[in-house]
Amino acid sequence: PISDYYSYGLIKTGSMLVEVDNNALYIDANSLLVYRPNQTLKILDIASGTTGAFVLFTRKFVDYLFESFFSIAPHSFLRSQFGSHITLSRTDHNKISSLFSQTIRFLDNSETKTERWTYSAKCILLALINETDFVLNKYKLDKYDTNRREIEISNSFKNFVAQNYINERNIDFYAKNLNISSN
């Protein structure tokens, strides 16, 4: 079944094998798993002694958070098509793990679950998402650099077509002038 929630988390010890949209992913202590609405997730195997933490947010909850803090909405790791599996450095894994622990400790240790507590919990969860996004930002750069080259080629192609479309309609002409294959 297709979900209507976001989830992300990491393994502290052990490993698990999951399938996201029919792609098998090995999640270990160097991994962060991100799951988004409309994806399918199957847990195929969990190694004995595996520990970790995952948080789940409904789409409605994330939309509420992003309305309150719009600057991370369009580019957040939760929203973008950033992959479902990110291999982290040990330092980044420890930082995100610490953020999870602090957040869970706060939510567990709060004594009264009043409207003020709910507001505070939402703010703490937004901080968890935001801080995770800051850590993951450097992992997005590789994808951005690849996409940037594609965007540059696409923009050059559009400009070149705008200048030459009346006289030249052969794709090989454009490919040769852009130094790319016609494929």
Side-chain angles (χ1 to χ4, degrees):
I2 294 180
S3 72
D4 194 34
Y5 65 88
Y6 295 86
S7 176
Y8 79 99
L10 35 83
I11 301 296
K12 286 188 108 173
T13 60
S15 64
M16 60 192 284
L17 184 62
V18 300
E19 189 177 275
V20 178
D21 293 339
N22 298 315
N23 295 315
L25 303 172
Y26 178 74
I27 309 300
D28 62 10
N30 294 317
S31 304
L32 180 87
L33 177 65
V34 181
Y35 176 74
R36 298 174 185 90
N38 303 320
Q39 288 186 304
T40 56
L41 172 73
K42 289 182 191 176
I43 298 174
L44 303 175
D45 186 45
I46 300 176
S48 178
T50 297
T51 62
F54 287 84
V55 290
L56 284 81
F57 308 99
T58 64
R59 185 190 309 245
K60 182 178 177 182
F61 181 75
V62 170
D63 289 344
Y64 166 81
L65 289 180
F66 287 165
E67 285 173 12
S68 302
F69 197 71
F70 61 88
S71 64
I72 65 171
H75 307 290
S76 166
F77 72 97
L78 287 177
R79 287 273 172 95
S80 71
Q81 290 308 308
F82 192 74
S84 292
H85 175 257
I86 302 103
T87 302
L88 303 171
S89 71
R90 177 54 50 202
T91 301
D92 291 340
H93 185 277
N94 289 342
K95 181 170 184 168
I96 293 174
S97 180
S98 175
L99 291 168
F100 266 85
S101 296
Q102 292 169 27
T103 301
I104 292 167
R105 196 173 318 117
F106 168 80
L107 295 173
D108 282 345
N109 291 332
S110 296
E111 292 189 22
T112 57
K113 307 293 193 258
T114 64
E115 190 173 314
R116 278 179 51 185
W117 178 89
T118 301
Y119 179 77
S120 295
K122 288 177 179 180
C123 290
I124 293 291
L125 291 169
L126 178 59
L128 174 65
I129 293 169
N130 196 35
E131 289 299 315
T132 301
D133 205 48
F134 286 140
V135 171
L136 294 180
N137 192 43
K138 65 181 140 196
Y139 296 93
K140 292 180 191 179
L141 296 178
D142 292 336
K143 183 177 178 183
Y144 174 75
D145 288 343
T146 301
N147 288 340
R148 186 176 62 197
R149 175 69 179 134
E150 291 170 4
I151 290 168
E152 287 172 2
I153 291 170
S154 177
N155 288 338
S156 295
F157 174 70
K158 290 175 190 175
N159 291 333
F160 203 56
V161 168
Q163 295 168 3
N164 297 289
Y165 75 95
I166 292 174
N167 298 324
E168 192 59 59
R169 295 185 183 203
N170 184 335
I171 193 71
D172 291 324
F173 169 81
Y174 294 102
K176 181 181 175 188
N177 284 287
L178 293 170
N179 295 318
I180 59 174
S181 74
S182 58
N183 289 339

